[in-house]
């Protein structure tokens, strides 16, 4: 638990640090925009609009402190919205039902974590066909999951998170047909993975480990390691690292041949005065089945749920999306609040920040608005000037905020170490720069409508009656 | 031709409302200004000099009466028409210069030209001509804050003449300047009239400034009164 305040402080520090750092590119952009508009001011088709936009850039530099403060506020708020929306978009993505190629997950019905007898593995993999006409799932479309985790250090007091590794124990070839994310690999990565699978099928002690985890363990491909069981206490396995999984999604996991684990469970009594391992009858964690459509899914789910073979313990069959969906149900209020309370509230606050900054600036410049009117500028042109200034701040800070946040989180620290469902870390959506740009511009536009309206209503005669 | 009135005010009245009270500032006022005349408007504070100037320059509309500048009936125009008309036909010079502080002298002078359909090259040419006329070519990249009061007022005059307007109006253009700068500004205005035949209406409190004009009018109780000493140059003076 002590981790959370720490993460919070680190996050807060990073956000503020990022915002202050980003003042530099913001200021550079303000100047660059001005220079660009001055140059374009000599090029005929754009020349008059360029000069007008140039005036907006210049006005933003009139009171730098105020512009910077508005910019910082928008920066931080856009950052928060980007984060929140990324989480929401991500959840939408993982809970969205695909109507084709559904993944059905079979787990123990009443208990989390799910622990089923390994005897369930074979019938479940086929979808539990019992009578003529039942659907039979093919070998390429199923996969059994068993989890084996342990330390590479024998001594209890040396066992830390850094020498801990988790393996998915499965039939090696299923990696190539069933794993999520297989389609994200390059042809070269795929070829290497296929090679590794071949070795793992022949030699059950062969394993592959994610590149990130290997680095943390400080091990290399080719080394042999002994893993001291964490969940399977007393089952220690000697393994040959024959390959590494690419960084990213699979970067932290290991994959091993399920026969190695199951043989070790079977051999356990011989070394322990005939006593079976406590997990011996509970070693199957889940079974994945791939079905082509919702219709098939319903039939298979029905076959499994109504079978008398799986009663003690009972099992359930649901789609991956609904599985994650039910896990998320616990957080439903929180998610609802983020979507419908927090995000709108932040947008409103952003508009108010802009309204305030632009409002002050307009009040200070009533005289200049009046002069523009005297020279012949139309009310709508004066409105445009004010709206333009606001949108410039909004767009620049929104864009910088979302883009820097994306680069920082995704590229520099490789995702926020906060796992959701089966995903090891959370990343900012790739559309974030676009969100930032539009959120920043639109809220700034909304916030500046009222100040712009008052600016264009300045009555020339009154301003000069006062001044003169 | 030279005596053709370019500005014509016929029975112009203007009153303001302040709460329930009605302030009648101008009352059935008549005025004709011939083309190319340098006219000075004098009168006590609050007599309505600025009000009259604003009406002629199309910043405000009279309560009743007609105002004509050249062929245009200014008093009948809508606000948008007035704005467009001002750009082409009136140049303003203010007591407090009223330059945009973020723009350089050059950019300030260019500001009214941005409203006209001119090429970038033509615009540049006009700005430089105006700046040369007021003798500030060497200061064109300075901002108002880097210029003296007199120099700022010269930028103001350059901005007023850059569109080559029909009429130049100046509301106490020397009111905020020391004697020497004031002298320079008056020389400049005199020169605009003499060599470019510009029509200039200048409000001033300063008799010495007024003396530089060809004609002086006094505003008293809502009416114009010709200055006894100088009422010579213009034939078409006020009223019957
Ligand atoms: N927009 C307005 N609303 C109400 N009253 C106004 C307005 N403009 C001018 N007045 C009033 O009209 C009268 C004439 O004002 P104006 O500014 O024309 O005087 P002025 O002769 O220019 O004075 P000064 O020499 O002090 O500049 C004053 O009583 C003034 O208070
Ligand atoms: Mg006045």
């Amino acid at each position: 638990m002590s981790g959370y305040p720490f993460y919070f402080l680190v996050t807060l520090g990073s956000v503020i640090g990022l915002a202050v750092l980003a003042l530099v590119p913001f200021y550079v952009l303000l100047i660059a925009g001005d220079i660009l508009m001055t140059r374009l001011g000599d090029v005929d088709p754009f020349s008059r609009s360029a000069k007008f936009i140039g005036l907006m850039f210049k006005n933003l530099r009139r009171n730098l402190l105020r512009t910077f403060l508005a910019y910082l506020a928008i920066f931080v708020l856009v950052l928060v919205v980007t984060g929140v929306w990324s989480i929401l978009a991500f959840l939408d993505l993982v809970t969205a039902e695909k109507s084709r190629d559904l993944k059905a997950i079979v787990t123990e019905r009443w208990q989390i974590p799910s622990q089923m007898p390994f005897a369930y593995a074979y019938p479940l993999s086929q979808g539990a066909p019992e009578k003529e006409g039942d659907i039979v799932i093919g070998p390429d479309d199923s996969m059994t999951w068993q989890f084996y985790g342990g330390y590479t250090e024998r001594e209890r007091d040396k066992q830390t998170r850094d020498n801990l590794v988790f393996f998915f124990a499965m039939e090696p070839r299923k990696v190539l047909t069933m794993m999520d994310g297989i389609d994200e690999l390059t042809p070269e990565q795929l070829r290497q993975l296929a090679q590794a699978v071949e070795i793992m099928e022949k030699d059950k002690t062969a394993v592959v480990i994610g590149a990130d985890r290997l680095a943390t363990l400080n091990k290399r491909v080719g080394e042999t390691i002994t893993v001291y069981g964490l969940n399977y206490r007393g089952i220690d396995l000697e393994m040959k690292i024959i390959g590494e999984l690419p960084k990213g999604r699979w970067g932290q996991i290991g994959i091993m041949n399920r026969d190695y684990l199951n043989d070790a469970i079977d051999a356990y009594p011989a070394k322990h005065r005939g006593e079976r391992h406590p997990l011996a009858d509970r070693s199957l964690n889940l079974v994945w089945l791939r079905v082509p459509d919702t219709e098939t899914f319903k039939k298979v789910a029905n076959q499994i749920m109504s079978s008398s073979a799986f009663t003690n313990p009972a099992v359930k069959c649901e789609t991956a999306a609904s599985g994650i969906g039910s896990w998320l149900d616990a957080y439903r209020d929180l998610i609802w609040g983020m979507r419908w309370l927090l995000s709108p509230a932040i947008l409103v606050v952003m508009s108010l920040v802009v309204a305030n900054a632009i409002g002050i600036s307009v009040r200070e410049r009533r005289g200049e608005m009046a002069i523009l009117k005297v020279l012949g500028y139309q009310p709508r042109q004066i409105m445009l000037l004010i709206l333009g200034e606001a949108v410039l701040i909004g767009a620049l800070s929104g864009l910088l905020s979302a883009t820097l946040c994306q680069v920082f989180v995704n590229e520099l620290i490789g995702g926020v170490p906060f796992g959701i469902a089966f995903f090891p870390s959370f990343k900012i959506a790739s559309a974030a720069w676009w969100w930032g740009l539009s959120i920043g511009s639109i809220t700034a536009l909304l916030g500046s409508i009222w100040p712009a309206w008052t600016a264009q209503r300045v009555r020339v005669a009154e301003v000069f009656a006062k001044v003169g | 031709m030279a005596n053709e009135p370019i500005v014509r005010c016929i029975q112009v009245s203007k009153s303001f409302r302040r709460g329930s009270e009605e302030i009648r500032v101008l009352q059935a006022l008549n005025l004709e200004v011939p083309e190319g005349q340098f006219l000075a408007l004098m009168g006590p504070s609050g007599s309505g000099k600025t009000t009259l100037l604003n009406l002629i320059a199309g910043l405000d509309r009279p309560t009743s009466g007609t105002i004509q500048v050249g062929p245009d009936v200014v008093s009948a125009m809508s606000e948008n028409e007035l704005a467009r008309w001002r750009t082409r036909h009136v140049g303003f010079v203010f007591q407090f210069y009223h330059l945009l502080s973020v723009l350089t002298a050059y950019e300030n002078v260019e500001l009214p030209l941005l409203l006209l359909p001119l090429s970038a090259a033509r615009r540049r040419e006009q700005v430089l001509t105006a700046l040369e006329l007021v003798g500030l070519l060497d200061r064109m990249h300075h901002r108002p804050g880097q210029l003296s009061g007199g120099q700022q007022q010269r930028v103001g005059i350059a901005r007023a003449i850059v569109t080559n307007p029909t009429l130049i109006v100046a509301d106490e253009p020397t009111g905020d300047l020391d004697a020497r700068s004031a002298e320079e500004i008056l020389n400049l205005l005199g020169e605009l009239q003499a060599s470019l035949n510009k029509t200039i209406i200048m409000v001033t409190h300063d008799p010495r400034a007024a003396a530089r004009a060809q004609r002086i009018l006094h505003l008293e109780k809502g009416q114009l009164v010709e200055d006894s000493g100088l009422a010579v140059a213009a034939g078409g003076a006020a009223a019957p």
Side-chain angles (χ1 to χ4, degrees), chain A residues 395-423:
Chain A
L396 286 182
S397 20
L399 183 65
L400 280 175
S401 169
T403 310
L404 287 180
C405 169
Q406 198 177 7
V407 169
F408 181 75
V409 171
N410 294 4
E411 311 296 331
L412 290 185
I413 65 173
V416 180
F418 162 62
I420 299 177
F422 297 110
F423 300 83

mmCIF file of all heavy atoms in Angstrom, chain A residues 395-423:
data_model
loop_
_atom_site.group_PDB
_atom_site.id
_atom_site.type_symbol
_atom_site.label_atom_id
_atom_site.label_comp_id
_atom_site.label_asym_id
_atom_site.label_seq_id
_atom_site.Cartn_x
_atom_site.Cartn_y
_atom_site.Cartn_z
ATOM 1 N N ALA A 395 -4.873 25.589 -28.257
ATOM 2 C CA ALA A 395 -4.385 24.572 -29.190
ATOM 3 C C ALA A 395 -2.931 24.229 -28.891
ATOM 4 O O ALA A 395 -2.562 23.054 -28.814
ATOM 5 C CB ALA A 395 -4.524 25.073 -30.621
ATOM 6 N N LEU A 396 -2.101 25.255 -28.665
ATOM 7 C CA LEU A 396 -0.681 24.995 -28.414
ATOM 8 C C LEU A 396 -0.499 24.211 -27.117
ATOM 9 O O LEU A 396 0.226 23.218 -27.093
ATOM 10 C CB LEU A 396 0.105 26.312 -28.346
ATOM 11 C CG LEU A 396 0.360 27.017 -29.678
ATOM 12 C CD1 LEU A 396 1.193 28.266 -29.464
ATOM 13 C CD2 LEU A 396 1.063 26.081 -30.646
ATOM 14 N N SER A 397 -1.164 24.638 -26.039
ATOM 15 C CA SER A 397 -0.911 23.904 -24.793
ATOM 16 C C SER A 397 -1.524 22.522 -24.844
ATOM 17 O O SER A 397 -0.933 21.571 -24.351
ATOM 18 C CB SER A 397 -1.376 24.666 -23.546
ATOM 19 O OG SER A 397 -2.299 25.645 -23.849
ATOM 20 N N GLY A 398 -2.706 22.400 -25.461
ATOM 21 C CA GLY A 398 -3.331 21.078 -25.561
ATOM 22 C C GLY A 398 -2.454 20.117 -26.342
ATOM 23 O O GLY A 398 -2.203 18.990 -25.917
ATOM 24 N N LEU A 399 -1.959 20.605 -27.461
ATOM 25 C CA LEU A 399 -1.137 19.755 -28.317
ATOM 26 C C LEU A 399 0.159 19.356 -27.618
ATOM 27 O O LEU A 399 0.528 18.176 -27.559
ATOM 28 C CB LEU A 399 -0.818 20.499 -29.616
ATOM 29 C CG LEU A 399 -0.032 19.725 -30.659
ATOM 30 C CD1 LEU A 399 -0.860 18.558 -31.164
ATOM 31 C CD2 LEU A 399 0.351 20.618 -31.822
ATOM 32 N N LEU A 400 0.831 20.347 -27.027
ATOM 33 C CA LEU A 400 2.094 20.051 -26.330
ATOM 34 C C LEU A 400 1.851 19.093 -25.182
ATOM 35 O O LEU A 400 2.599 18.138 -24.975
ATOM 36 C CB LEU A 400 2.715 21.347 -25.803
ATOM 37 C CG LEU A 400 3.479 22.171 -26.829
ATOM 38 C CD1 LEU A 400 3.948 23.480 -26.207
ATOM 39 C CD2 LEU A 400 4.681 21.390 -27.328
ATOM 40 N N SER A 401 0.791 19.351 -24.424
ATOM 41 C CA SER A 401 0.520 18.541 -23.246
ATOM 42 C C SER A 401 0.311 17.085 -23.624
ATOM 43 O O SER A 401 0.977 16.187 -23.109
ATOM 44 C CB SER A 401 -0.713 19.095 -22.543
ATOM 45 O OG SER A 401 -1.149 18.218 -21.560
ATOM 46 N N ALA A 402 -0.616 16.841 -24.550
ATOM 47 C CA ALA A 402 -0.944 15.457 -24.903
ATOM 48 C C ALA A 402 0.239 14.764 -25.567
ATOM 49 O O ALA A 402 0.548 13.609 -25.265
ATOM 50 C CB ALA A 402 -2.161 15.433 -25.813
ATOM 51 N N THR A 403 0.932 15.491 -26.444
ATOM 52 C CA THR A 403 2.039 14.865 -27.155
ATOM 53 C C THR A 403 3.188 14.530 -26.203
ATOM 54 O O THR A 403 3.736 13.424 -26.238
ATOM 55 C CB THR A 403 2.552 15.792 -28.271
ATOM 56 O OG1 THR A 403 1.428 16.212 -29.041
ATOM 57 C CG2 THR A 403 3.531 15.074 -29.160
ATOM 58 N N LEU A 404 3.528 15.493 -25.336
ATOM 59 C CA LEU A 404 4.626 15.229 -24.397
ATOM 60 C C LEU A 404 4.245 14.108 -23.447
ATOM 61 O O LEU A 404 5.066 13.260 -23.105
ATOM 62 C CB LEU A 404 4.971 16.495 -23.620
ATOM 63 C CG LEU A 404 5.708 17.557 -24.424
ATOM 64 C CD1 LEU A 404 6.012 18.766 -23.558
ATOM 65 C CD2 LEU A 404 6.997 16.986 -24.991
ATOM 66 N N CYS A 405 2.997 14.095 -23.021
ATOM 67 C CA CYS A 405 2.526 13.050 -22.109
ATOM 68 C C CYS A 405 2.668 11.689 -22.791
ATOM 69 O O CYS A 405 3.142 10.721 -22.195
ATOM 70 C CB CYS A 405 1.069 13.333 -21.763
ATOM 71 S SG CYS A 405 0.236 12.025 -20.907
ATOM 72 N N GLN A 406 2.297 11.640 -24.067
ATOM 73 C CA GLN A 406 2.383 10.399 -24.831
ATOM 74 C C GLN A 406 3.828 9.931 -24.962
ATOM 75 O O GLN A 406 4.153 8.782 -24.690
ATOM 76 C CB GLN A 406 1.800 10.679 -26.211
ATOM 77 C CG GLN A 406 1.419 9.470 -26.988
ATOM 78 C CD GLN A 406 0.783 9.895 -28.309
ATOM 79 O OE1 GLN A 406 0.774 11.076 -28.651
ATOM 80 N NE2 GLN A 406 0.265 8.958 -29.026
ATOM 81 N N VAL A 407 4.700 10.880 -25.359
ATOM 82 C CA VAL A 407 6.105 10.531 -25.524
ATOM 83 C C VAL A 407 6.702 10.091 -24.192
ATOM 84 O O VAL A 407 7.387 9.076 -24.092
ATOM 85 C CB VAL A 407 6.900 11.731 -26.081
ATOM 86 C CG1 VAL A 407 8.394 11.481 -26.013
ATOM 87 C CG2 VAL A 407 6.471 12.011 -27.509
ATOM 88 N N PHE A 408 6.368 10.855 -23.141
ATOM 89 C CA PHE A 408 6.934 10.576 -21.822
ATOM 90 C C PHE A 408 6.478 9.214 -21.306
ATOM 91 O O PHE A 408 7.286 8.365 -20.946
ATOM 92 C CB PHE A 408 6.519 11.687 -20.861
ATOM 93 C CG PHE A 408 7.052 11.520 -19.475
ATOM 94 C CD1 PHE A 408 8.387 11.774 -19.194
ATOM 95 C CD2 PHE A 408 6.226 11.103 -18.441
ATOM 96 C CE1 PHE A 408 8.889 11.618 -17.915
ATOM 97 C CE2 PHE A 408 6.718 10.940 -17.162
ATOM 98 C CZ PHE A 408 8.055 11.195 -16.905
ATOM 99 N N VAL A 409 5.177 8.983 -21.301
ATOM 100 C CA VAL A 409 4.647 7.740 -20.730
ATOM 101 C C VAL A 409 4.989 6.537 -21.609
ATOM 102 O O VAL A 409 5.508 5.532 -21.127
ATOM 103 C CB VAL A 409 3.118 7.838 -20.526
ATOM 104 C CG1 VAL A 409 2.549 6.484 -20.151
ATOM 105 C CG2 VAL A 409 2.808 8.867 -19.460
ATOM 106 N N ASN A 410 4.717 6.653 -22.907
ATOM 107 C CA ASN A 410 4.859 5.473 -23.762
ATOM 108 C C ASN A 410 6.302 5.175 -24.140
ATOM 109 O O ASN A 410 6.717 4.026 -24.143
ATOM 110 C CB ASN A 410 4.037 5.641 -25.038
ATOM 111 C CG ASN A 410 2.552 5.688 -24.745
ATOM 112 O OD1 ASN A 410 2.152 5.661 -23.579
ATOM 113 N ND2 ASN A 410 1.758 5.766 -25.779
ATOM 114 N N GLU A 411 7.060 6.221 -24.464
ATOM 115 C CA GLU A 411 8.408 5.984 -24.970
ATOM 116 C C GLU A 411 9.456 5.991 -23.860
ATOM 117 O O GLU A 411 10.284 5.110 -23.786
ATOM 118 C CB GLU A 411 8.788 7.043 -26.012
ATOM 119 C CG GLU A 411 7.744 7.265 -27.097
ATOM 120 C CD GLU A 411 7.522 6.026 -27.964
ATOM 121 O OE1 GLU A 411 8.492 5.246 -28.105
ATOM 122 O OE2 GLU A 411 6.407 5.841 -28.480
ATOM 123 N N LEU A 412 9.391 6.996 -22.991
ATOM 124 C CA LEU A 412 10.475 7.133 -22.011
ATOM 125 C C LEU A 412 10.348 6.156 -20.855
ATOM 126 O O LEU A 412 11.308 5.503 -20.481
ATOM 127 C CB LEU A 412 10.544 8.575 -21.492
ATOM 128 C CG LEU A 412 11.032 9.596 -22.518
ATOM 129 C CD1 LEU A 412 11.182 10.965 -21.894
ATOM 130 C CD2 LEU A 412 12.366 9.143 -23.108
ATOM 131 N N ILE A 413 9.129 6.034 -20.267
ATOM 132 C CA ILE A 413 9.031 5.113 -19.133
ATOM 133 C C ILE A 413 8.326 3.821 -19.515
ATOM 134 O O ILE A 413 8.132 2.946 -18.689
ATOM 135 C CB ILE A 413 8.342 5.772 -17.909
ATOM 136 C CG1 ILE A 413 6.888 6.106 -18.209
ATOM 137 C CG2 ILE A 413 9.086 7.016 -17.458
ATOM 138 C CD1 ILE A 413 6.143 6.594 -16.979
ATOM 139 N N GLY A 414 7.939 3.705 -20.798
ATOM 140 C CA GLY A 414 7.388 2.449 -21.290
ATOM 141 C C GLY A 414 6.083 2.043 -20.654
ATOM 142 O O GLY A 414 5.847 0.878 -20.363
ATOM 143 N N GLY A 415 5.211 3.009 -20.398
ATOM 144 C CA GLY A 415 3.889 2.692 -19.869
ATOM 145 C C GLY A 415 3.838 2.827 -18.358
ATOM 146 O O GLY A 415 4.844 2.668 -17.680
ATOM 147 N N VAL A 416 2.655 3.140 -17.849
ATOM 148 C CA VAL A 416 2.475 3.242 -16.402
ATOM 149 C C VAL A 416 2.386 1.838 -15.826
ATOM 150 O O VAL A 416 1.597 1.026 -16.304
ATOM 151 C CB VAL A 416 1.190 4.019 -16.068
ATOM 152 C CG1 VAL A 416 1.007 4.111 -14.563
ATOM 153 C CG2 VAL A 416 1.217 5.393 -16.702
ATOM 154 N N PRO A 417 3.219 1.510 -14.834
ATOM 155 C CA PRO A 417 3.229 0.140 -14.307
ATOM 156 C C PRO A 417 1.992 -0.140 -13.473
ATOM 157 O O PRO A 417 2.055 -0.338 -12.277
ATOM 158 C CB PRO A 417 4.509 0.099 -13.457
ATOM 159 C CG PRO A 417 4.717 1.515 -13.053
ATOM 160 C CD PRO A 417 4.172 2.366 -14.152
ATOM 161 N N PHE A 418 0.842 -0.164 -14.113
ATOM 162 C CA PHE A 418 -0.413 -0.353 -13.418
ATOM 163 C C PHE A 418 -1.240 -1.237 -14.319
ATOM 164 O O PHE A 418 -1.764 -0.821 -15.333
ATOM 165 C CB PHE A 418 -1.060 1.021 -13.209
ATOM 166 C CG PHE A 418 -2.527 0.975 -12.897
ATOM 167 C CD1 PHE A 418 -2.977 0.352 -11.754
ATOM 168 C CD2 PHE A 418 -3.440 1.568 -13.755
ATOM 169 C CE1 PHE A 418 -4.326 0.319 -11.472
ATOM 170 C CE2 PHE A 418 -4.787 1.537 -13.469
ATOM 171 C CZ PHE A 418 -5.234 0.909 -12.333
ATOM 172 N N GLY A 419 -1.241 -2.545 -14.014
ATOM 173 C CA GLY A 419 -1.821 -3.504 -14.934
ATOM 174 C C GLY A 419 -3.331 -3.485 -14.944
ATOM 175 O O GLY A 419 -3.971 -3.305 -13.918
ATOM 176 N N ILE A 420 -3.906 -3.628 -16.119
ATOM 177 C CA ILE A 420 -5.343 -3.811 -16.226
ATOM 178 C C ILE A 420 -5.556 -5.145 -16.924
ATOM 179 O O ILE A 420 -4.972 -5.404 -17.967
ATOM 180 C CB ILE A 420 -5.997 -2.690 -17.057
ATOM 181 C CG1 ILE A 420 -5.765 -1.336 -16.375
ATOM 182 C CG2 ILE A 420 -7.484 -2.954 -17.225
ATOM 183 C CD1 ILE A 420 -6.322 -0.176 -17.167
ATOM 184 N N ALA A 421 -6.377 -6.002 -16.300
ATOM 185 C CA ALA A 421 -6.689 -7.304 -16.867
ATOM 186 C C ALA A 421 -5.400 -8.051 -17.209
ATOM 187 O O ALA A 421 -4.520 -8.159 -16.386
ATOM 188 C CB ALA A 421 -7.594 -7.148 -18.072
ATOM 189 N N PHE A 422 -5.222 -8.493 -18.462
ATOM 190 C CA PHE A 422 -4.036 -9.258 -18.804
ATOM 191 C C PHE A 422 -2.909 -8.391 -19.314
ATOM 192 O O PHE A 422 -1.890 -8.877 -19.758
ATOM 193 C CB PHE A 422 -4.377 -10.308 -19.872
ATOM 194 C CG PHE A 422 -5.357 -11.312 -19.391
ATOM 195 C CD1 PHE A 422 -6.643 -11.346 -19.885
ATOM 196 C CD2 PHE A 422 -4.989 -12.221 -18.399
ATOM 197 C CE1 PHE A 422 -7.549 -12.272 -19.417
ATOM 198 C CE2 PHE A 422 -5.895 -13.145 -17.929
ATOM 199 C CZ PHE A 422 -7.192 -13.173 -18.441
ATOM 200 N N PHE A 423 -3.121 -7.076 -19.304
ATOM 201 C CA PHE A 423 -2.115 -6.214 -19.902
ATOM 202 C C PHE A 423 -1.151 -5.708 -18.836
ATOM 203 O O PHE A 423 -1.586 -5.246 -17.787
ATOM 204 C CB PHE A 423 -2.783 -5.051 -20.625
ATOM 205 C CG PHE A 423 -3.684 -5.521 -21.716
ATOM 206 C CD1 PHE A 423 -4.978 -5.920 -21.447
ATOM 207 C CD2 PHE A 423 -3.213 -5.613 -23.017
ATOM 208 C CE1 PHE A 423 -5.811 -6.389 -22.457
ATOM 209 C CE2 PHE A 423 -4.042 -6.077 -24.022
ATOM 210 C CZ PHE A 423 -5.343 -6.462 -23.741
#
